[in-house]
Amino acid sequence: MYSQRTSFRVRYSETDQMGYVYYGDCAEYFDVGRVEALRSIGFPYRRLEDEGMMLPVRDMHVTYHLPARYDDLITVFTYIDVLPSVRFAFRYEVKNEKGELLTEATTTLVFVEKGTMKPCRAPQQLIDALAPY
């Protein structure tokens, strides 16, 4: 299992009238975690695009436990539990500074060829980069 964490502060524009992070903005937090996880293994998302692949989201499941608020320092923990094939699954936990679990989620992405949008296999270099974990 590979894991990586990314921390940042909640911006005012991400909150709703109750002062909580708007639930839809959590998808962006997962995206940040996913992109940084790939970057940390030396395989930035841009490299996938440069090699003619894209990764559209197939599904996302989210459980909200506690709200995050403006200026909270939150950490997105991103986990890759299974080596990718045509699909690429990610698991996330979002925690606040106190270590409280705010949100849990999973996303499944699909490798597709950029020109045709047809499914394809994950690049072997990416699988090799994740294999030690």
Side-chain angles (χ1 to χ4, degrees), residues 5-15 19-22 25 28-29 32 68-76 94-98 102:
R5 63 179 160 184
T6 304
S7 297
F8 50 89
R9 292 212 174 265
V10 172
R11 295 173 293 265
Y12 184 78
S13 63
E14 297 165 340
T15 60
Y20 298 161
V21 167
Y22 178 66
D25 284 328
E28 186 174 332
Y29 295 171
V32 169
R69 294 174 175 86
Y70 168 65
D71 206 39
D72 282 356
L73 180 63
I74 60 171
T75 302
V76 178
V94 180
K95 296 183 179 182
N96 63 17
E97 287 179 273
K98 297 176 189 173
L102 307 178

Side-chain angles (χ1 to χ4, degrees), residues 24-88:
D25 284 328
C26 288
E28 186 174 332
Y29 295 171
F30 308 144
D31 185 58
V32 169
R34 185 169 56 245
V35 167
E36 292 305 321
L38 290 173
R39 185 185 326 280
S40 72
I41 61 165
F43 216 95
Y45 189 85
R46 172 159 284 193
R47 178 176 170 187
L48 289 169
E49 289 184 345
D50 289 346
E51 293 179 7
M53 289 178 216
M54 298 185 81
L55 277 170
V57 174
R58 179 182 179 273
D59 60 56
M60 179 174 72
H61 301 277
V62 184
T63 302
Y64 302 96
H65 298 285
L66 295 169
R69 294 174 175 86
Y70 168 65
D71 206 39
D72 282 356
L73 180 63
I74 60 171
T75 302
V76 178
F77 295 84
T78 305
Y79 304 95
I80 301 169
D81 298 321
V82 178
L83 290 175
S85 58
V86 174
R87 294 182 182 173
F88 200 177

Side-chain angles (χ1 to χ4, degrees), residues 14 111 113:
E14 297 165 340
F111 288 92
E113 294 176 4

